[in-house]
Amino acid sequence: MKLFFKIQTISLILMMVLSSCSNDENSDGLPYNNINEFKVEHEGKQIYGKIEGATIELNWPCNAQLPATLKPSIVLSDKASVLPLSGTEIDPVKVTTYRVKAEDGSEKTYTLKINYLQPIINVEGVETPIEASFRHDYTIFGEGFSKNKNENKVSLVAEDGSKEYPLSIDEAQVLNDNGYADRLKIVMPKKEDMPAGSYKLKVVYGNRSVTTKKAYFNVKDLKLPYITIPESMISEIEGVRCIVLNSNEKHELKGENFEAFGGASQIFFTWRTPTSQGSDSSELTVVNSNSIQFEKSDWVDANKLYQRAYIDYRGEKNVRISVYLRDNAGNLVGVYFK
């Protein structure tokens, strides 16, 4: 009887061992190869990807500049691995695929799709090219520009596309606030930095860009007025480099080509602050081609600092000339009225 029980016990142990070996041979690990979470941190905020099937959709926030690289954080199924690894920098412009491998060796591929929510940039077209002069300021009208002037890039493109010349942007303006700027005030290069000719206009913001189909500016030396303020006239008030103007005094400004004002007897001295804007007329005397004088007995806002100062004049055919006040290095200066 004892021998029978011993044989049964040995048989049971053998069955358990064989069963265990059989299970080990048929099990190659967990079969899970899913991406459970995909997110990117930008400016302290978490942007989560929407995972559907084999696609990860990342909706990039409106008004947020898409950086040159992204560093996604990825959460996987238990004991799965992924390539590229979580935390690996990727180029958001290029198509990125992720290969997820389960513990049992099975794989699944995901494709990342970035939906850039920025609207399309539009530039209001012109029937004929705008006659523009070197070193002068012009306003581009359109929509979809960044409110931050530094996030926009504007350039002139030769009609044959052979060369591109960047323009400096003085200001981004908002007329209808839909979240974006709709005007850009740009400054033409010096004539020694770019040849005269007809140029298309190109505007870039984020991942969006637009280039006009035909010439937008016909740039040449139009001999328009240009004011430069010598360093001796510039003071710093409230952290702003500016010139100081007194009432009941004649003020003389030096520059170039003031004969373009013709027989004008009045100009408007236009001002702009961070919160308001306006203008006031002044008597104008053209001394010669390099000097003008103006006087005003009563400034509307005395003891006021204006950060954007320029002279407006409407010439023949209602062509508006905006002459900005700049120092000898070409930088804008403000005006302080006493």
Side-chain angles (χ1 to χ4, degrees):
M1 195 70 172
K2 289 182 178 179
L3 180 61
F4 175 75
F5 282 116
K6 284 182 179 179
I7 293 172
Q8 272 198 325
T9 302
I10 293 170
S11 298
L12 182 60
I13 292 171
L14 287 172
M15 287 177 64
M16 291 174 63
V17 172
L18 290 172
S19 175
S20 176
C21 291
S22 176
N23 289 338
D24 288 343
E25 289 174 0
N26 294 331
S27 176
D28 293 324
L30 299 176
Y32 308 121
N33 50 16
N34 296 323
I35 291 180
N36 294 331
E37 183 181 89
F38 186 98
K39 66 181 180 179
V40 173
E41 183 176 337
H42 179 68
E43 295 182 349
K45 297 181 180 179
Q46 303 294 334
I47 304 170
Y48 288 86
K50 182 181 180 182
I51 304 169
E52 287 190 351
T55 302
I56 306 168
E57 287 197 36
L58 191 68
N59 292 323
W60 197 255
C62 186
N63 285 343
Q65 178 75 24
L66 189 64
T69 59
L70 297 176
K71 189 182 290 186
S73 176
I74 304 171
V75 177
L76 303 172
S77 302
D78 188 25
K79 295 187 179 181
S81 59
V82 64
L83 288 176
L85 297 173
S86 176
T88 300
E89 288 190 345
I90 62 170
D91 185 342
V93 177
K94 297 179 180 179
V95 176
T96 302
T97 57
Y98 289 92
R99 283 177 36 234
V100 183
K101 189 174 182 179
E103 189 184 20
D104 67 358
S106 59
E107 292 188 358
K108 186 174 182 180
T109 300
Y110 291 84
T111 301
L112 175 62
K113 179 183 178 183
I114 298 178
N115 300 318
Y116 199 60
L117 300 180
Q118 177 191 346
I120 295 174
I121 296 175
N122 285 318
V123 173
E124 289 187 10
V126 291
E127 294 183 5
T128 57
I130 297 171
E131 297 293 313
S133 178
F134 292 108
R135 301 172 68 184
H136 276 265
D137 307 78
Y138 298 89
T139 300
I140 301 169
F141 296 87
E143 59 184 356
F145 311 137
S146 172
K147 290 182 178 180
N148 180 348
K149 70 173 186 177
N150 297 321
E151 291 182 345
N152 301 292
K153 294 181 180 178
V154 181
S155 58
L156 296 180
V157 181
E159 286 193 284
D160 61 2
S162 59
K163 285 194 175 183
E164 191 170 325
Y165 301 91
L167 303 179
S168 60
I169 301 173
D170 178 53
E171 191 176 3
Q173 301 174 345
V174 178
L175 180 62
N176 300 308
D177 195 352
N178 56 1
Y180 295 90
D182 40 30
R183 297 180 179 184
L184 293 177
K185 190 176 290 291
I186 53 93
V187 182
M188 287 293 162
K190 298 177 182 178
K191 58 184 177 181
E192 54 265 31
D193 294 335
M194 185 185 75
S198 297
Y199 293 91
K200 297 177 182 179
L201 181 69
K202 180 179 180 180
V203 182
V204 178
Y205 167 39
N207 274 10
R208 301 288 192 187
S209 68
V210 62
T211 303
T212 57
K213 293 182 179 179
K214 58 183 181 179
Y216 197 90
F217 285 108
N218 186 18
V219 186
K220 51 187 166 182
D221 193 359
L222 293 177
K223 304 296 184 184
L224 294 178
Y226 185 82
I227 292 176
T228 55
I229 307 298
E231 195 68 26
S232 59
M233 289 183 63
I234 298 175
S235 303
E236 185 167 314
I237 299 178
E238 298 180 22
V240 178
R241 284 167 53 81
C242 59
I243 61 172
V244 178
L245 301 180
N246 299 298
S247 61
N248 298 311
E249 290 183 3
K250 286 188 177 181
H251 303 282
E252 183 171 341
L253 294 178
K254 299 288 185 179
E256 301 174 5
N257 309 316
F258 289 115
E259 70 271 15
F261 283 128
S265 61
Q266 197 174 61
I267 59 173
F268 290 89
F269 200 88
T270 308
W271 44 264
R272 179 184 297 277
T273 72
T275 58
S276 62
Q277 60 184 24
S279 64
D280 188 20
S281 61
S282 302
E283 297 298 319
L284 169 70
T285 303
V286 177
V287 179
N288 51 51
S289 62
N290 297 310
S291 180
I292 58 172
Q293 284 183 342
F294 63 94
E295 65 177 316
K296 185 71 175 68
S297 60
D298 173 41
W299 295 116
V300 173
D301 287 307
N303 298 313
K304 184 72 175 179
L305 176 66
Y306 299 110
Q307 305 227 15
R308 294 278 188 268
Y310 52 95
I311 292 174
D312 281 349
Y313 166 70
R314 291 193 176 274
E316 295 180 1
K317 300 180 181 179
N318 208 33
V319 176
R320 185 170 182 168
I321 300 172
S322 292
V323 187
Y324 279 76
L325 277 62
R326 299 182 183 275
D327 60 24
N328 289 332
N331 301 311
L332 277 173
V333 296
V335 172
Y336 185 75
F337 296 100
K338 291 182 66 176

